[in-house]
């Protein structure tokens, strides 16, 4: 079974997406890079906050994201979702369908459900449930020994800084992009800021 490493940029943007639309279910795709028996989830692309069922707009988004991620040396490695209910962490039919669709093209696809109740400024443990498909094509929790976090304490600090700065107001998902095509769904400005904060934390500046 493949190991999965979760990185700072991916987690921060997922949290910003959920925070921007606290009363809505939100979803997006995970972008990864494969190597040495491990999938590294480097980034994510927020897709929606309006309608989560599999639809034409989602299919269009997946095609565009697939093309763009390939140009970045990445691929669509999974799907994430935060439900609208505070304590609801169960994958919806839409989440299962979308993750299963991705798994038809990529092995070791990951499905992440966000735990809204534990999403605080200081969550302690990552407020995520990481699932994978078993041999029966059922989505089940991935073994914790196969989930690695790159710099979790640093990730928490960066997330806290950006939440306190209300950086979630800058985040663009695909729903927003469809309303205004000038809105950058790749969120390059946020990516640069996250990378800058990570460099400061690592003493690289």
């Amino acid at each position: 079974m493949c190991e999965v490493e979760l990185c700072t940029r991916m987690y921060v943007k997922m949290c910003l997406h959920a925070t921007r639309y606290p009363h809505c279910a939100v979803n997006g795709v995970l972008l990864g890079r494969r190597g040495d028996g491990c999938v590294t989830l480097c980034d994510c692309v927020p897709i929606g906050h309006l309608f989560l069922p599999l639809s034409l707009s989602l299919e269009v988004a997946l095609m565009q994201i697939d093309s763009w991620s390939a140009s970045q040396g990445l691929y669509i490695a999974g799907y994430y979702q935060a439900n609208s209910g505070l304590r609801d962490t169960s994958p919806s039919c839409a989440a299962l369908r979308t993750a299963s669709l991705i798994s038809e093209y990529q092995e070791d696809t990951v499905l992440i459900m966000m735990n809204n109740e534990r999403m605080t400024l200081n969550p302690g443990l990552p407020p995520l449930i990481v699932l994978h498909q078993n041999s029966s094509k059922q989505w089940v929790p991935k073994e914790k020994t196969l989930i690695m976090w790159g710099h979790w304490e640093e990730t928490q600090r960066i997330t806290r800084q950006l939440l306190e700065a209300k950086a979630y107001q800058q985040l663009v998902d695909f729903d927003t992009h469809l309303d205004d095509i000038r809105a950058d769904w790749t969120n390059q400005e946020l990516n640069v800021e996250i990378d800058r904060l990570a460099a400061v934390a690592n003493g690289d500046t």
Side-chain angles (χ1 to χ4, degrees), residues 156-199:
Q156 289 186 88
R157 286 195 298 271
I158 293 172
T159 304
R160 184 166 57 248
Q161 283 180 265
L162 291 176
L163 288 174
E164 290 174 342
K166 298 183 179 180
Y168 50 83
Q169 295 176 347
Q170 305 170 31
L171 184 130
V172 175
D173 64 15
F174 228 87
D175 280 343
T176 303
H177 171 73
L178 291 176
D179 286 337
D180 179 359
I181 61 172
R182 297 169 298 178
D184 177 20
W185 55 265
T186 68
N187 289 286
Q188 290 305 303
E189 289 187 10
L190 267 179
N191 290 346
V192 169
E193 180 61 10
I194 293 167
D195 292 347
R196 184 189 70 80
L197 292 172

Side-chain angles (χ1 to χ4, degrees), residues 87-105:
R87 296 179 175 85
D88 182 7
T89 58
S90 300
S92 65
C93 290
L96 295 173
R97 285 201 304 269
T98 308
S100 296
L101 174 64
I102 295 170
S103 72
E104 293 177 8
Y105 299 93

Side-chain angles (χ1 to χ4, degrees), residues 5-205:
E5 180 179 8
L6 292 83
C7 296
T8 299
R9 185 192 289 182
M10 178 215 72
Y11 176 80
V12 172
K13 289 166 70 176
M14 286 170 56
C15 288
L16 294 178
H17 194 198
T19 303
R20 175 154 194 182
Y21 304 103
H23 304 300
C24 303
V26 301
N27 68 342
V29 293
L30 308 168
L31 304 183
R33 183 179 293 113
R34 192 184 304 277
D36 298 327
C38 176
V39 173
T40 300
L41 299 178
C42 312
D43 201 352
C44 72
V45 175
I47 291 180
H49 63 278
L50 297 175
F51 304 106
L52 297 191
L54 195 62
S55 63
L56 178 60
S57 61
L58 178 57
E59 292 180 9
V60 169
L62 290 175
M63 287 189 292
Q64 290 195 34
I65 294 167
D66 184 54
S67 176
W68 176 79
S69 61
S71 72
Q72 307 299 306
L74 304 172
Y75 70 96
I76 298 177
Y79 175 88
Y80 75 85
Q81 184 167 306
N83 293 328
S84 56
L86 182 64
R87 296 179 175 85
D88 182 7
T89 58
S90 300
S92 65
C93 290
L96 295 173
R97 285 201 304 269
T98 308
S100 296
L101 174 64
I102 295 170
S103 72
E104 293 177 8
Y105 299 93
Q106 296 292 345
E107 61 179 354
D108 301 315
T109 295
V110 175
L111 169 58
I112 291 181
M113 296 301 300
M114 304 177 70
N115 188 332
N116 294 325
E117 190 173 22
R118 289 175 45 199
M119 282 184 59
T120 65
L121 290 178
N122 299 288
L125 296 175
L128 306 176
I129 300 170
V130 181
L131 302 103
H132 74 109
Q133 268 191 328
N134 62 18
S135 57
S136 301
K137 300 296 182 180
Q138 300 297 309
W139 290 95
V140 297
K142 196 171 183 68
E143 292 180 24
K144 292 183 178 180
T145 56
L146 296 176
I147 304 170
M148 300 177 291
W149 273 92
H151 312 293
W152 170 235
E153 291 186 1
E154 171 192 308
T155 297
Q156 289 186 88
R157 286 195 298 271
I158 293 172
T159 304
R160 184 166 57 248
Q161 283 180 265
L162 291 176
L163 288 174
E164 290 174 342
K166 298 183 179 180
Y168 50 83
Q169 295 176 347
Q170 305 170 31
L171 184 130
V172 175
D173 64 15
F174 228 87
D175 280 343
T176 303
H177 171 73
L178 291 176
D179 286 337
D180 179 359
I181 61 172
R182 297 169 298 178
D184 177 20
W185 55 265
T186 68
N187 289 286
Q188 290 305 303
E189 289 187 10
L190 267 179
N191 290 346
V192 169
E193 180 61 10
I194 293 167
D195 292 347
R196 184 189 70 80
L197 292 172
V200 170
N202 292 325
D204 294 338
T205 60

